[in-house]
Amino acid sequence: MASLSGAEAAVATKTADAAGSAPLLSVRDLEAWYGESHVLHGVTFDVRAGEVVTLLGRNGAGKTTTLKSIMGILPKRKGSVTFEGREMMHLPARHVARAGIAFCPEERGIFASLDVEENLMLPPEVKPGGMSVEQIFELFPNLKERLSSQGTKLSGGEQQMLAIGRILRTGAKMLLLDEPTEGLAPVIIQQIGRTIARLKEEGFTIVLVEQNFRFASTVADRHYVVEQGKVVDMIQNGELDANIGKIEAYLGV
Amino acid sequence: MFELIGIPPQALFGQLLLGLINGSFYAILSLGLAVIFGLLNIINFAHGAQYMLGAFVAWMLLNYLGIGYWWALLIVPLVVGAFGIVLERLMIARLYHLDHLYGLLLTFGLALIIQGLLRNQYGISGLPYSIPPQLSGGQNLGFMFLPNYRGWVVVASLIVCVGTWFVIEKTRLGAYLRAATENPTLVGAFGINVPRMITLTYGFGVALAAFAGVLAAPVYSVNPNMGADLIIVVFAVVVIGGMGSILGSIVTGFSLGLIEGLTKVFYPEASSVVIFVIMAIVLLVKPAGLFGRAA
């Protein structure tokens, strides 16, 4: 444990260096519980405006829990999450959303009792300047043809597009995407990758949870490695090749 | 005049009309229960008492304040619905993290208290509430006599049921409601105030019951037990239609009223049990109910 906390300190310093300017999202010593089970043991990382940052790690490392804790979905948590300089920890999820953070869950969360259009229009606008429905159709033309289908009748890829598309309408500029490529065909994964690149160009800031680091390396600026409920390392995307051995060890591939 | 298998048409249509009236109340009440159960996951056992309270508040408005039927139709759902909102905020909201059973026990206890208080104050003999003058009299349709008020009850409950169905299934507000029924956590994470929606939904369900109570006041006598008698049948209707199904509760409510009426014509001995027999069969064949989705 002693060596781990040394590594954490190193990560924290590296994080602060990388930040330079004040980060848009800043997570400090975030701890969280599912009932009695202590899942996050002090997650610390920063995301600057306009960055695409991934949380890499094995199953059960605490990546999804980190996103849910930032969002305020998990009631039992402590530490600090600041967004645009504002402390979010005491806020319920709906106020975190209203502050301009949008969440796309791993299970996609498409509603079966809503058709595609209703699913798309469900999240309320929280800030001005969200994408128009036309722009979303430009990104995901499939959705336009299936507007009146039941949400869960879509293919897995289309459901993922719908799950991402609907949060682009809200005007939130910070997106938390939980494994958007999971279980999808390579051609769909490429489309999701192009979308993320396009969103970055448009000024969105994205935290991406991934297990697939090859995909992550095509879209991200930096990677945080999550292990046993902590951030244990940070790797610049440009240094990924040099660190390939280390990453494979972290991910157990 | 023709006769149908030895049944005079007056008797047949008379009972069908009675069935349709009963069906109107089954439909509004089971609709309210379905809306509440869908979002709150609470079986609102106080629903019968809230329906009775609707009739009583209408009676009180008339006798203490001189406010007549038409205003009561508007005011009573608001008053009783507000009472429901207070109940939800003060008591029911504390039970969401517990088993369904606790909500059932709480609302059942509340029903007993409300009924007991009114029984203590007004007795059980029933209070008269007269039909508004605009709806007295009736139409001779040739094959039967249709009292105007009874026709109005059927039309009003159809309007309310179809209106509620439309709002829930076809509007943005309804989409929020359906989504929150499926996954309240995610809907909250989109920035929607789910707790407030739950409170208002409960208030709306209670207001529906109170509306039915006002409609019922001139048909049945205003009596502290009127809800307790009716609600048992309504629960059977909800089980047959499928817990939480909006369309199911409306269609099942009206159909079972008619089936009950027909049973009274052809085999009166079975009329009080026919709904429960149907419930038993539905539970055996399709446990999720005729319109319910299997969990």
Side-chain angles (χ1 to χ4, degrees), chain A residues 73 94 97-98 111-113 118 122, chain B residues 176 178-179 182 185 188-189 191:
Chain A
I73 292 173
R94 63 176 188 274
R98 294 269 169 198
F111 296 96
S113 54
E118 287 173 326
L122 185 76
Chain B
Y176 286 161
R178 278 174 284 141
E182 262 186 67
T185 308

Side-chain angles (χ1 to χ4, degrees), chain B residues 5 9 11 36 41 66 73 80 84-85 111 116 130 151 163 180 183 188 206 214 222 225 233 241 259 280 291:
Chain B
I5 338 173
I36 290 172
N41 258 325
L73 217 45
V80 181
I85 284 175
S130 49
N183 188 345
V206 173
V214 183
V222 177
N225 294 331
V233 182
I259 290 174
F291 294 82

Side-chain angles (χ1 to χ4, degrees), chain B residues 56 59 122-129 217 220-226:
Chain B
F56 259 96
W59 183 88
Y122 296 98
I124 51 163
S125 51
L127 306 165
Y129 191 99
Y220 310 118
S221 73
V222 177
N223 181 315
N225 294 331
M226 64 192 282

Side-chain angles (χ1 to χ4, degrees), chain B residues 13 16 35 47-48 80 117 126 144 153 156 160 162 167 171 246 262 264 289:
Chain B
F13 288 114
L16 278 181
V35 171
H47 215 66
V80 181
L117 286 174
M144 68 175 290
V153 167
V160 165
V162 171
V167 169
T171 67
I246 302 301
L262 282 176
K264 273 184 193 142

Side-chain angles (χ1 to χ4, degrees), chain A residues 71 73 93-94 97-98 101 103 105 107-114 118 121-124 126 166-167 169, chain B residues 168-172 174-176 178-180 182-195 293:
Chain A
M71 224 35 231
I73 292 173
R94 63 176 188 274
R98 294 269 169 198
I101 305 182
F103 176 53
E107 68 282 359
R108 294 167 193 145
I110 300 304
F111 296 96
S113 54
L114 276 62
E118 287 173 326
M121 303 310 284
L122 185 76
V126 296
R166 69 180 170 189
I167 58 174
R169 259 189 52 252
Chain B
I168 292 176
E169 297 296 335
K170 302 290 167 198
T171 67
R172 174 70 62 90
Y176 286 161
R178 278 174 284 141
E182 262 186 67
N183 188 345
T185 308
L186 184 59
V187 171
F190 286 149
I192 296 168
N193 191 338
V194 177
R293 289 193 199 95

Side-chain angles (χ1 to χ4, degrees), chain A:
Chain A
M1 284 314 277
S3 67
L4 246 180
S5 63
E8 273 164 61
V11 173
T13 325
K14 225 167 161 184
T15 305
D17 290 345
S21 58
L24 182 67
L25 177 77
S26 179
V27 178
R28 287 287 172 277
D29 301 319
L30 184 62
E31 294 186 51
W33 289 260
Y34 281 115
E36 290 303 303
S37 127
H38 195 173
V39 186
L40 297 187
H41 300 271
V43 170
T44 295
F45 68 96
D46 288 316
V47 185
R48 279 165 291 162
E51 267 191 315
V52 176
V53 162
T54 65
L55 302 179
L56 292 175
R58 298 184 202 206
N59 259 335
K63 309 177 301 286
T64 295
T65 310
T66 301
L67 294 194
K68 287 187 174 173
S69 303
I70 294 171
M71 224 35 231
I73 292 173
L74 285 187
K76 204 173 168 192
R77 63 208 165 118
K78 67 178 203 192
S80 163
V81 174
T82 53
F83 177 65
E84 292 177 329
R86 190 173 148 213
E87 181 59 57
M88 298 272 127
M89 274 309 270
H90 57 283
L91 298 179
R94 63 176 188 274
H95 289 165
V96 177
R98 294 269 169 198
I101 305 182
F103 176 53
C104 177
E106 184 178 8
E107 68 282 359
R108 294 167 193 145
I110 300 304
F111 296 96
S113 54
L114 276 62
D115 63 26
V116 170
E117 186 172 15
E118 287 173 326
N119 267 289
L120 185 62
M121 303 310 284
L122 185 76
E125 208 171 293
V126 296
K127 298 263 152 143
M131 277 193 183
S132 68
V133 172
E134 281 309 312
Q135 284 171 306
I136 294 167
F137 288 154
E138 206 181 294
L139 284 175
F140 305 119
N142 303 34
L143 295 183
K144 194 171 183 175
E145 280 134 44
R146 311 226 32 195
L147 273 183
S148 53
S149 308
Q150 187 193 338
T152 43
K153 291 269 159 70
L154 298 184
S155 70
E158 287 168 331
Q159 288 193 30
Q160 189 61 62
M161 294 170 196
L162 180 54
I164 297 177
R166 69 180 170 189
I167 58 174
L168 300 178
R169 259 189 52 252
T170 64
K173 288 293 178 194
M174 169 103 225
L175 310 180
L176 310 180
L177 308 181
D178 196 351
E179 300 214 29
T181 63
E182 195 188 17
L184 300 182
V187 56
I188 309 281
I189 294 180
Q190 283 170 17
Q191 191 181 354
I192 304 268
R194 282 195 302 274
T195 305
I196 292 174
R198 167 84 187 281
L199 294 177
K200 182 178 159 66
E201 278 169 31
E202 306 239 345
F204 284 90
T205 307
I206 298 172
V207 178
L208 186 67
V209 159
E210 264 304 331
Q211 294 202 53
N212 176 349
F213 84 91
R214 305 219 172 268
F215 169 76
S217 70
T218 62
V219 294
D221 300 304
R222 294 185 296 131
H223 309 274
Y224 285 101
V225 180
V226 182
E227 226 175 47
Q228 294 179 344
K230 288 177 181 175
V231 170
V232 295
D233 206 347
M234 195 274 283
I235 298 165
Q236 296 283 349
N237 198 47
E239 298 163 9
L240 205 58
D241 290 339
N243 289 290
I244 205 91
K246 208 159 83 173
I247 286 176
E248 285 180 346
Y250 282 134
L251 297 178
V253 286

